Amino acid sequence: MDTFITFTPLEQALLIGTFTWLMTAFGASFVFASKDFNQRVMDAMLGFAGGVMIAASFWSLLKPAAAMADEAGTSAWIPTATGFILGGFFLWAVDKLLPHLHPNMGLAQAEGIQSHKKKRSTLLVLAITLHNIPEGLAIGVSIGAVSLGGAEFASVLILAVGLGLQNIPEGFAVSMPLRREGLSRRRSFMYGQLSGLVEPVAAVVGVLAVGLFQPLLPYALSFAAGAMIFVVVEEVVPAAHEEGNGDLASAFLIIGFTLMMVLDIMLG
């Protein structure tokens, strides 16, 4: 860990963002094993991903944001509540504007502007890309918080591991439906991993934004948390429940949250 800390915040953002992208690619690589998949396994993985994202939003983002605001002499609820709401609103706006299609949905159910004019593969990639924007931002602003002394580096590593784990089902969720529809394994994999490329980019944006606007760090951390919670409530949880495996998905959501909580308490 000490060696990694010697890297600049920008380099750290690139490295950790690349790690989470590679985990997306790992999930997409399952397409080489089989054309079929167990829906219960998929829904359990989505539930786990939701739990990880909820826990990361609090333990790695909102909690440090409140602590930093308190140390600066500001009422902690002001930046946390403001940033959280703005993050959710931002993802809501992007969700309405960006053409995208969620797995297991027909092309007629695509969302965003002029969705029906784009290919299904493109819309699926855009859906997971939408999920990955707040994750990359979360990594970047968390690294920024460490560089400014507002957080421990262990919290960044916990966040990276948690997001990396939940990226596996996201890559899986793109590549497997495309394979079922007749795309080659190679093309299905390429589309699946492509959705994760936005994470290192968003991580770098997050670090640069924190460096330019240091007083806004508590707002930035809360913004990333609000964006992630929006994704969980709007996309991840409904997708995990739509095939009738809601109890299983809920159980794994609890498991994902608990794992992240334990890691933060033990290592944070």
Side-chain angles (χ1 to χ4, degrees):
M1 184 185 297
D2 292 338
T3 302
F4 193 85
I5 294 176
T6 61
F7 290 112
T8 68
L10 186 61
E11 292 169 337
Q12 292 172 9
L14 280 171
L15 288 171
I16 294 178
T18 299
F19 162 74
T20 55
W21 163 44
L22 291 176
M23 293 297 279
T24 304
F26 174 66
S29 71
F30 291 171
V31 75
F32 292 109
S34 174
K35 183 177 178 178
D36 300 317
F37 68 97
N38 188 308
Q39 187 64 49
R40 286 176 57 83
V41 172
M42 181 65 185
D43 291 340
M45 293 174 71
L46 285 172
F48 179 84
V52 167
M53 293 175 74
I54 294 172
S57 296
F58 175 73
W59 296 101
S60 299
L61 298 171
L62 289 173
K63 185 180 177 183
M68 292 184 68
D70 189 58
E71 291 176 4
T74 305
S75 296
W77 69 269
I78 295 176
T80 51
T82 302
F84 189 82
I85 292 172
L86 289 175
F89 178 78
F90 171 76
L91 256 290
W92 173 84
V94 173
D95 186 70
K96 296 302 180 185
L97 296 174
L98 181 70
H100 62 284
L101 176 68
H102 303 294
N104 302 322
M105 288 187 176
L107 195 57
Q109 297 173 289
E111 301 174 0
I113 297 175
Q114 296 182 335
S115 301
H116 60 283
K117 294 184 178 181
K118 297 184 179 296
K119 294 181 179 179
R120 178 178 174 83
S121 56
T122 302
L123 293 172
L124 281 169
V125 171
L126 289 174
I128 304 302
T129 299
L130 176 63
H131 293 189
N132 289 337
I133 291 173
E135 296 169 16
L137 288 175
I139 291 169
V141 296
S142 295
I143 291 172
V146 172
S147 68
L148 297 176
E152 297 291 335
F153 191 74
S155 66
V156 176
L157 292 182
I158 294 168
L159 178 64
V161 170
L163 294 180
L165 288 173
Q166 68 91 34
N167 275 355
I168 296 174
E170 289 189 348
F172 187 75
V174 176
S175 62
M176 295 303 287
L178 292 177
R179 177 57 182 159
R180 290 202 316 271
E181 292 184 4
L183 270 69
S184 68
R185 296 181 191 276
R186 182 175 177 276
R187 287 188 65 193
S188 299
F189 167 76
M190 291 301 296
Y191 280 124
Q193 63 83 31
L194 187 62
S195 64
L197 270 176
V198 71
E199 290 208 19
V201 176
V204 168
V205 170
V207 165
L208 294 177
V210 167
L212 293 173
F213 308 103
Q214 295 183 12
L216 297 180
L217 181 55
Y219 292 89
L221 288 165
S222 302
F223 181 95
M228 285 213 292
I229 291 297
F230 179 89
V231 168
V232 172
V233 176
E234 174 73 9
E235 313 291 356
V236 177
V237 170
H241 284 243
E242 66 183 10
E243 296 297 327
N245 297 316
D247 289 344
L248 179 66
S250 297
F252 272 84
L253 186 147
I254 296 297
I255 292 171
F257 185 97
T258 302
L259 174 63
M260 286 290 288
M261 179 176 62
V262 169
L263 287 175
D264 188 270
I265 293 173
M266 292 179 61
L267 303 177

